[in-house]
Amino acid sequence: MKNGIARSPLFYVGDKYKLIREIRTHFPQTINRFIEPFVGGGSVMMNVEANSYLLNDINSYVINLHQMLQSYIGKEQEFLEEIYNIIDSYKLSLSLRSDVVPQAMKKAYPKTYYARYNKAGYLQMKADFIAKGQQNMMKLYLLLIYGFNHMLRFNGKGQFNLPVGNVDFNQNVQNALSDYFLLLSQKQTKWFNEDYKQFLGGIDYEKDDLVYLDPPYLITFSEYNKLWNDDTERELLALLDELNARGVCFAISNVTHYRGRINNIFLEWSKQYHSHSIKSNYISFNDNSIKKFSEVLITNY
């Protein structure tokens, strides 16, 4: 763990790994159940202490990946051996073990040599994953690791369609996996694959529960935010008002200003609660450049 903060081994773009140290300073000191309707890669829940965890995501592949990883707790060496075997079978790079990229390729493509080296094996692994019904979570995990920007992206036919990235199964990946196995072995977790409204509506809330939400952002351009609009934003905020009326504690992350755009819906709603400015940067899926923007954490306690 770098500086005492663990990062999800899913390496989601836009995850809260760099922000969780600040965000969690605004959480209650005592948390009974930590409830996440948009768990994503899980960097937040990994770094929060609670008696138990209710973790949900509408993306079934995200939940299946978490459950697959968690099934190897106590069998970490077996997991790595299986992963290495798949990597070797597709002739992908594994820099933590050895440097297999030819020097000529590094010289010819100094910024993209991993993508060049891994492309053929990655495409074959992707084709095999799709052909076998997209059920092999080990291969999906490696497609995520070697894929562009570590995205889970599917086309209109529901087929995984992320291109190869200029990335590698390196020491950072292995460290993140080790942290995940260690931390999840100490947590009581329950996983759900539901729409967030169904998930939150099915909970019998208890004293000291905390609902933390990191929903799609209305005014940014991430791949994950394409289906989010003014109506879905208002629907979420109305649900939070209902939780507040029932005495349920919540904290929600959101972006209020981004590249000249302003989320007035969220800004107006947030005036009735407590607003905490969070220092952050945003890496665009399209160009990888850093865009400064205004992120906030809103709490009702």
Side-chain angles (χ1 to χ4, degrees):
M1 281 177 276
K2 188 175 180 179
N3 300 318
I5 300 294
R7 183 167 192 180
S8 163
L10 303 189
F11 293 97
Y12 261 37
V13 170
D15 76 6
K16 291 294 177 285
Y17 166 66
K18 293 183 178 180
L19 307 180
I20 182 56
R21 185 188 301 277
E22 183 177 359
I23 287 173
R24 70 183 181 184
T25 64
H26 303 293
F27 288 170
Q29 287 191 335
T30 299
I31 301 174
N32 176 31
R33 294 181 299 179
F34 187 73
I35 301 167
E36 267 201 275
F38 306 95
V39 69
S43 283
V44 175
M45 67 88 177
M46 288 174 66
N47 292 284
V48 172
E49 292 295 327
N51 294 332
S52 61
Y53 303 77
L54 303 181
L55 307 167
N56 176 74
D57 203 281
I58 196 170
N59 188 324
S60 61
Y61 289 105
V62 169
I63 298 303
N64 288 340
L65 281 169
H66 280 296
Q67 291 179 320
M68 180 274 289
L69 289 173
Q70 199 166 4
S71 73
Y72 279 93
I73 289 175
K75 301 183 293 182
E76 291 85 351
Q77 193 57 41
E78 179 183 332
F79 173 83
L80 290 175
E81 288 174 4
E82 291 185 37
I83 282 287
Y84 291 173
N85 285 338
I86 297 172
I87 290 172
D88 290 341
S89 71
Y90 289 101
K91 296 180 171 59
L92 300 169
S93 62
L94 182 60
S95 64
L96 67 86
R97 186 176 63 190
S98 61
D99 185 0
V100 296
V101 181
Q103 288 300 316
M105 183 177 287
K106 288 185 176 182
K107 187 174 181 179
Y109 308 103
K111 295 184 178 181
T112 60
Y113 56 81
Y114 276 130
R116 298 274 178 171
Y117 182 86
N118 289 319
K119 184 176 181 179
Y122 180 87
L123 291 177
Q124 185 60 56
M125 182 167 61
K126 180 165 67 171
D128 291 346
F129 173 71
I130 294 170
K132 294 292 180 64
Q134 303 190 149
Q135 298 301 307
N136 189 319
M137 290 300 106
M138 280 281 200
K139 286 184 179 178
L140 180 59
Y141 180 68
L142 288 175
L143 288 169
L144 182 73
I145 292 302
Y146 286 91
F148 180 66
N149 269 8
H150 304 305
M151 300 282 287
L152 280 177
R153 198 180 71 183
F154 298 82
N155 62 23
K157 296 180 180 179
Q159 296 176 334
F160 185 86
N161 72 337
L162 195 68
V164 68
N166 188 45
V167 286
D168 172 60
F169 194 105
N170 55 29
Q171 191 64 54
N172 288 336
V173 177
Q174 188 137 313
N175 291 344
L177 284 165
S178 295
D179 290 343
Y180 185 94
F181 290 136
L182 174 62
L183 290 170
L184 270 292
S185 72
Q186 302 166 355
K187 297 180 185 293
Q188 299 295 320
T189 58
K190 289 185 179 180
W191 300 94
F192 299 83
N193 173 217
E194 300 174 347
D195 176 83
Y196 79 90
K197 298 184 294 294
Q198 180 183 1
F199 168 67
L200 290 175
I203 295 172
D204 184 13
Y205 293 95
E206 301 172 0
K207 185 177 183 293
D208 295 329
D209 282 351
L210 175 66
V211 178
Y212 170 71
L213 307 95
D214 184 27
Y217 294 161
L218 182 63
I219 60 172
T220 65
F221 303 109
S222 167
E223 184 80 9
Y224 297 120
N225 301 344
K226 289 182 176 179
L227 299 179
W228 204 256
N229 55 40
D230 288 4
D231 290 338
T232 50
E233 183 86 349
R234 290 191 176 95
E235 194 172 42
L236 171 62
L237 301 181
L239 190 154
L240 292 179
D241 287 338
E242 293 176 12
L243 290 181
N244 181 65
R246 295 168 60 184
V248 178
C249 291
F250 68 75
I252 177 171
S253 294
N254 213 319
V255 171
T256 58
H257 298 75
Y258 174 70
R259 296 177 70 176
R261 306 179 78 187
I262 302 175
N263 187 341
N264 288 306
I265 296 172
F266 189 82
L267 276 174
E268 188 62 32
W269 170 84
S270 68
K271 290 178 181 178
Q272 62 189 308
Y273 300 112
H274 305 289
S275 181
H276 314 276
S277 180
I278 304 295
K279 297 176 184 176
S280 58
N281 288 313
Y282 174 72
I283 300 177
S284 168
F285 168 73
N286 296 307
D287 61 14
N288 271 340
S289 60
I290 294 175
K291 308 289 191 299
K292 292 189 179 300
F293 71 127
S294 299
E295 179 153 348
V296 296
L297 182 76
I298 305 301
T299 61
N300 69 332
Y301 49 84

